[in-house]
Amino acid sequence: MAGFGEKKSPTPKSPRATIKGSGTIEKALASHKAGDLKTAENLYLKAIKSGCTDPIVLSNLGVIYKNSNRQQKAIECYQKAISINPKFSDAHANLGNLLKGL
């Protein structure tokens, strides 16, 4: 907290802005939302290779894998997302639905 005459600290950035590879993640999310799944997949993989451990990225990549008939890779992505954040319900639901379908 800044007192009188002291500089205020900068406005905190969003949590995603502090994640390694966040520019790539934002582009991947935009591509995914726009339906450009090949670009989204490549960008998610690039972010992961650069050290990103965001469970949302892994779960979204799992969705792309599931929808392109690569179930084993999808399972691995969901499981990794869950291992990073055991309370991430989307990854649990995605994994459960995929396994139920198999």
Side-chain angles (χ1 to χ4, degrees):
M1 185 169 175
F4 181 76
E6 293 179 38
K7 281 187 167 185
K8 293 182 180 180
S9 58
T11 306
K13 296 179 181 179
S14 69
R16 186 163 314 279
T18 62
I19 296 172
K20 202 171 196 175
S22 62
T24 303
I25 294 169
E26 296 303 327
K27 290 176 189 172
L29 293 170
S31 295
H32 199 164
K33 187 176 180 180
D36 184 358
L37 303 182
K38 188 64 177 166
T39 299
E41 178 181 342
N42 289 333
L43 290 169
Y44 287 139
L45 290 170
K46 180 179 178 183
I48 291 166
K49 286 179 185 175
S50 74
C52 172
T53 57
D54 185 337
I56 294 170
V57 169
L58 290 158
S59 186
N60 286 353
L61 182 57
V63 169
I64 290 172
Y65 284 151
K66 177 193 170 273
N67 291 336
S68 60
N69 246 3
R70 295 178 278 174
Q71 281 78 6
Q72 188 55 46
K73 284 187 171 191
I75 290 169
E76 292 167 10
C77 285
Y78 298 145
Q79 289 174 334
K80 183 153 185 173
I82 291 166
S83 73
I84 292 168
N85 181 357
K87 294 182 179 183
F88 185 44
S89 60
D90 286 353
H92 283 283
N94 290 341
L95 178 60
N97 287 329
L98 174 57
L99 293 173
K100 182 180 176 186
L102 293 175

